[in-house]
Amino acid sequence: MAAAKKAVLGPLVGAVDQGTSSTRFLVFNSKTAELLSHHQVEIKQEFPREGWVEQDPKEILHSVYECVEKTCEKLGQLNIDISNIKAIGVSNQRETTVVWDKLTGEPLYNAVVWLDLRTQSTVESLSKKIPGNNNFVKSKTGLPISTYFSAVKLRWILDNVRKVQKAVEENRALFGTIDSWLIWSLTGGVNGGVHCTDVTNASRTMLFNIHSLEWDKELCEFFGIPMEILPNVRSSSEIYGLMKAGALEGVPISGCLGDQSAALVGQMCFQDGQAKNTYGTGCFLLCNTGRKCVFSEHGLLTTVAYKLGRDKPVFYALEGSVAIAGAVTRWLKDNLGIIKTSEEIEKLAKEVGTSYGCYFVPAFSGLYAPYWDPSARGIICGLTQFTNKCHIAFAALEAVCFQTREILDAMNRDCGIPLSHLQVDGGMTCNKILMQLQADILYIPVVKPSMPETTALGAAMAAGAAEGVGVWSLEPEDLSAVTMERFEPQINAEESEIRYSTWKKAVMKSMGWVTTQSPESGDPSIFCSLPLGFFIVSSMVMLIGARYISGIP
């Protein structure tokens, strides 16, 4: 019997979407933006000490190869010829820091994830070195000195990992965010791999001048980073190199965007003033400010939005970053065990329809925008004997929405023109309770595309539009219309304000929790910062335990 005829769909574009909790490979039709197939693999996070978050760079790389192979197999089952895939884009978790050996291809230490807090004392000592009237770091990078960004993670690695120090001395070390590690490995690694990054990822390192679009010598000297280990900076849409292995060997990698910039492109926020919010492990609200840098007076970041071609202009964005969004669901599942799957949180929340006065501030990694308080810690307050796991689940979802409201308020004050609606994307947007809560708490409509994979779509668009590929048009008249689902506010404005003001009371209680923290030295000093109640409760537990063991009633 003759083999089934392969479907002809015109040029296709693949996208690697490497996030904090999973890796995916997705394939789109470049003419219709239709998602044809994808595969996803979860990524393990390691917590070697309190506040430390690491991942294995090799596991991340292997997950990319696995997702590519499995997606190609699925396309074959659909009779779609993978030779139609003309380009690959890469989107990645930003700020996560990798150092590897260019001679062996081996990582020299685990990837230090963007959420990691070990660098707090590094941040404090660096902050003291900045003159009060001349914050040259913020004016050049648009970023506050924070544990969030790559430069302080890299500084910690250089200070604490002998293997890395030795590799730097012997000119064997390469640094990169996850995009650089993947592109170098996928384009040949030790056999001619391309060591590069794009302007969006570079702008998250605190080593990159967002005005000149170059690594900055003064910044590198301030952080003590040798410039020879840094990747070459390219635009977000150009051919970097070719895949050197696997089913897609020979296909160009021609798009690269940090995940939040990719979502901005995928949501087609190309106009000044357009904004989107992505609900992933964290929550990230970006507003396109066009070709001008807007510096925030209200705790937001100034960052590079995209540069879609070597000869194309750079666009900037204001960004509000929330550390914990989807991660709170994972915490309820993995740490408390009150849900077995992430989807169950919606079911629990729906059972009660209210938090019954319970408020959850998930400041597991301190508070990001607009507070930038690394000393904050997570709290659940307003508990009564009536409170159960359903109320806590509801409060966790509300927390994501309240944090978004805080960022949106700051953005409205910086931009001067309040947003009339909020465009949303990311894994959590499948949760209808969350989306309705978000509309209620913002008191504006929330608009969600029917195809929520906008991060991968943005990377595919950048790859397909690259010079030398040219299979995806970014002209406004050629962009596919996207169907949207709309959530309108269903409570009155007064109730929304009362709930929001109570949330802000809870946030104040979470701040300043850790007063002396030094995870780098093994944390003996952390006990100095614990509240008195901790020692009272601990003493009671130890006394009860001792009585129980010795048989005293």
Side-chain angles (χ1 to χ4, degrees):
M1 195 171 103
K5 193 176 176 186
K6 295 278 185 183
V8 179
L9 293 165
L12 311 180
V13 179
V16 172
D17 180 4
Q18 204 299 298
T20 317
S21 55
S22 71
T23 298
R24 293 179 296 170
F25 185 68
L26 307 92
V27 174
F28 297 89
N29 183 327
S30 67
K31 299 302 177 195
T32 64
E34 178 193 0
L35 174 61
L36 300 176
S37 188
H38 75 283
H39 189 76
Q40 178 170 337
V41 171
E42 280 211 6
I43 298 293
K44 189 180 167 198
Q45 292 179 42
E46 298 173 25
F47 306 98
R49 293 196 202 178
E50 174 67 30
W52 293 29
V53 190
E54 297 180 0
Q55 290 179 323
D56 179 355
K58 289 178 81 172
E59 182 193 348
I60 290 173
L61 178 59
H62 293 152
S63 72
V64 171
Y65 280 121
E66 182 181 343
C67 287
V68 169
E69 296 303 312
K70 289 283 200 294
T71 304
C72 288
E73 285 173 20
K74 290 177 183 178
L75 289 171
Q77 289 160 11
L78 295 168
N79 278 338
I80 296 170
D81 193 337
I82 61 171
S83 67
N84 286 324
I85 299 174
K86 303 301 181 189
I88 295 166
V90 173
S91 161
N92 58 288
Q93 52 171 309
R94 305 169 302 168
E95 301 94 18
T96 297
T97 299
V98 188
V99 182
W100 68 95
D101 188 319
K102 66 182 177 186
L103 301 183
T104 65
E106 291 294 311
L108 294 164
Y109 191 70
N110 266 348
V112 179
V113 177
W114 57 277
L115 280 165
D116 189 281
L117 281 175
R118 76 187 67 186
T119 54
Q120 185 49 37
S121 62
T122 309
V123 166
E124 286 164 8
S125 60
L126 287 167
S127 297
K128 287 172 188 163
K129 289 165 59 179
I130 293 185
N133 60 349
N134 177 26
N135 189 342
F136 68 94
V137 175
K138 190 163 186 183
S139 64
K140 287 184 176 200
T141 67
L143 311 173
I145 295 186
S146 162
T147 58
Y148 184 16
F149 306 109
S150 310
V152 289
K153 300 180 194 300
L154 181 52
R155 180 67 261 150
W156 185 93
I157 292 169
L158 289 167
D159 286 339
N160 291 277
V161 183
R162 180 59 195 143
K163 274 171 75 175
V164 173
Q165 295 164 357
K166 196 163 185 295
V168 169
E169 288 161 13
E170 296 172 4
N171 195 29
R172 292 183 285 109
L174 296 178
F175 152 79
T177 42
I178 294 295
D179 57 306
S180 297
W181 163 244
L182 292 179
I183 292 172
W184 183 83
S185 301
L186 296 173
T187 57
V190 295
N191 299 310
V194 178
H195 188 216
C196 69
T197 189
D198 89 301
V199 288
T200 68
N201 281 296
S203 76
R204 312 298 294 189
T205 60
M206 267 198 315
L207 302 170
F208 185 71
N209 188 315
I210 60 173
H211 311 287
S212 66
L213 302 183
E214 294 174 332
W215 298 121
D216 190 284
K217 190 168 184 288
E218 185 185 14
L219 290 170
C220 289
E221 285 173 357
F222 176 72
F223 289 103
I225 305 299
M227 293 185 79
E228 58 272 15
I229 72 173
L230 304 178
N232 292 316
V233 183
R234 313 274 283 271
S235 79
S236 310
S237 177
E238 60 180 272
I239 295 174
Y240 314 111
L242 306 180
M243 288 282 283
K244 287 289 165 68
L248 298 180
E249 188 174 351
V251 176
I253 299 174
S254 53
C256 179
L257 290 153
D259 51 9
Q260 303 314 318
S261 288
L264 195 74
V265 171
Q267 285 266 33
M268 297 170 205
C269 295
F270 293 125
Q271 301 301 312
D272 193 337
Q274 286 186 305
K276 68 88 208 170
N277 196 32
T278 299
Y279 299 74
T281 297
C283 213
F284 303 90
L285 179 55
L286 265 71
C287 179
N288 190 332
T289 62
R291 292 166 70 172
K292 62 182 183 295
C293 280
V294 175
F295 282 85
S296 173
E297 299 294 321
H298 302 97
L300 304 181
L301 311 176
T302 304
T303 198
V304 175
Y306 52 80
K307 185 180 189 294
L308 295 173
R310 271 180 292 201
D311 303 320
K312 297 287 171 67
V314 64
F315 282 71
Y316 296 94
L318 271 175
E319 175 175 336
S321 312
V322 169
I324 303 294
V328 76
T329 307
R330 192 164 180 165
W331 184 81
L332 291 174
K333 176 170 72 80
D334 296 345
N335 293 40
L336 292 196
I338 68 172
I339 53 176
K340 289 191 173 66
T341 66
S342 298
E343 292 71 33
E344 278 181 47
I345 192 170
E346 183 175 8
K347 188 178 159 202
L348 286 185
K350 194 172 184 179
E351 277 183 40
V352 286
T354 173
S355 69
Y356 202 78
C358 170
Y359 286 81
F360 189 163
V361 183
F364 303 152
S365 294
L367 287 168
Y368 284 13
Y371 301 102
W372 297 104
D373 180 4
S375 72
R377 286 296 177 270
I379 62 166
I380 302 175
C381 54
L383 299 174
T384 70
Q385 285 178 307
F386 183 71
T387 309
N388 63 33
K389 65 181 181 180
C390 297
H391 300 117
I392 291 172
F394 194 96
L397 295 182
E398 270 194 321
V400 175
C401 302
F402 286 131
Q403 290 178 103
T404 299
R405 165 79 188 264
E406 292 194 296
I407 291 170
L408 194 69
D409 283 359
M411 202 161 273
N412 286 339
R413 289 197 292 272
D414 277 326
C415 295
I417 305 165
L419 288 180
S420 59
H421 66 277
L422 182 65
Q423 289 175 232
V424 300
D425 59 77
M428 290 188 86
T429 60
C430 299
N431 186 323
K432 290 187 184 297
I433 297 272
L434 177 72
M435 292 295 94
Q436 186 56 55
L437 272 173
Q438 189 67 88
D440 291 345
I441 288 165
L442 296 179
Y443 212 66
I444 58 173
V446 167
V447 180
K448 173 194 161 190
S450 55
M451 199 287 292
E453 304 293 354
T454 51
T455 302
L457 178 61
M461 289 165 68
E467 186 181 344
V469 177
V471 298
W472 205 307
S473 171
L474 297 182
E475 296 302 319
E477 64 273 15
D478 296 328
L479 293 171
S480 304
V482 180
T483 54
M484 298 284 189
E485 186 176 2
R486 196 175 172 94
F487 296 84
E488 300 282 349
Q490 290 182 355
I491 63 172
N492 63 51
E494 187 182 1
E495 186 186 341
S496 180
E497 289 306 315
I498 290 168
R499 281 157 67 175
Y500 183 47
S501 62
T502 312
W503 154 263
K504 286 182 106 52
K505 262 171 66 180
V507 170
M508 291 302 120
K509 292 183 188 302
S510 79
M511 293 168 77
W513 197 260
V514 178
T515 51
T516 53
Q517 181 183 8
S518 179
E520 287 139 309
S521 58
D523 259 352
S525 64
I526 198 166
F527 294 102
C528 304
S529 68
L530 291 169
L532 179 61
F534 172 87
F535 294 103
I536 295 169
V537 172
S538 299
S539 302
M540 288 172 67
V541 169
M542 287 163 69
L543 179 61
I544 291 164
R547 288 169 67 91
Y548 177 78
I549 290 164
S550 60
I552 300 170

